[in-house]
Amino acid sequence: MPVFRRDRMTWVAYAMLAWFAYLQASPGLVVPHLRDELHMSYSAGGLLVAGFAGGSLVAGLVSARAERTAGRKALFWLSALAMAVGTLLLTAGRTEVLAVAATTVMGFGGGLLLTTIQALLSDRHGPRRTIALTEANVAASAAYVILSGALALAAATGAGWRAAVLAVLALPPLAFALSHRERLEAPPPPPKDRGTLPVAFWVAAAMIFCTTAAEWCVTGWGASFVKDAAGVSTDTAVTLMGGYFAGVLAGRVTGSALARRFPAHRLLAGALALSGVGFAILWPAAVPATALAGLVVLGIGLGNLFPLGLSVTVGLASEHAQLASGRAVLVTSAAVLLAPLTVGALADATSISAALGVVPAALALAAVGLTAVTRTQTRLAISSSRSSPR
């Protein structure tokens, strides 16, 4: 295996993924505030997260063609610009329609940026992509913690949630100034490339659909659940979600270290099991301390599901990194689109606690998908070893 090295563009990719993650998580955390401001139902609040996911879904569909047309470097920075514009619209909006439109623009730009970053890291680090992708998601989880802290600070000082969201828009110009001379081209496609993805890829994609659905049910509705279950204020519920994001950060730091020693599919199995334990603590919580404990453990488990699942999935089609990354973003965006909407509708019909029963169901289905992928890869490896010349 080649030695893993971080060049300047790798560090810039990490920083921009953190920036993306900060803004990606913001609609879910400001839903309680916007529901109070605009008198929105759970279902209408779910549209904010769904709008982001819808934009990302479209981005996943067009990312490969957009890269061929504009080039990887132009796509990288133009997608960041689009996400920044959507963020400005979100903070300026005072109606439900404008807020949902803003998160859709954010999702489209962010989806293109995410796809490009994932392809960039996969191409740049090859067999060591698992390390690069897990490290990048450590940066993303650190951004979640910073967002939670920024929102808590904004509430304490009276600055408001908008100040916390707008504060990070200075990062892309700085990153551009530091790296605009760096080479950022996609490798040429393989000879006779038909741009097809293997069946195993789509099984793995179904798996990350389920893991992403579980993660975004908690990210999108965790604060609302804690507010109702523990009987705390909106600001306190958002602050308690800091425990979840701290768990995500701790989990990804640990996962990044373990990725140097263990295969991704084994780590993913452990993360799924730990996520189940965390949810079992959180779901019956009736006081803030129990809710916080559940959120931390759940964050440690859920935080590793996306980077490890992505590594497994893209690794099944490593010669088509941009296409595979784009399709992975499409699938995960569909999960982010459908899961919060489903939970919102179920919460309106029953309760937010009952609606979050979607989470353990999604984790169980993901475990089934992982088992299928692992067995398929094992059979292929055995078949290849038997057919290789001696």
Side-chain angles (χ1 to χ4, degrees), residues 167-179:
V168 296
L169 294 188
L171 179 61
L174 177 60
F176 179 79
L178 292 173
S179 64

Side-chain angles (χ1 to χ4, degrees), residues 197-206 313-314 316-317 323-325 327-328 331 373:
L197 299 170
V199 173
F201 170 88
W202 293 109
V203 177
T313 303
V314 175
L316 295 170
L323 178 63
S325 179
R327 293 300 179 263
V331 168
V373 168

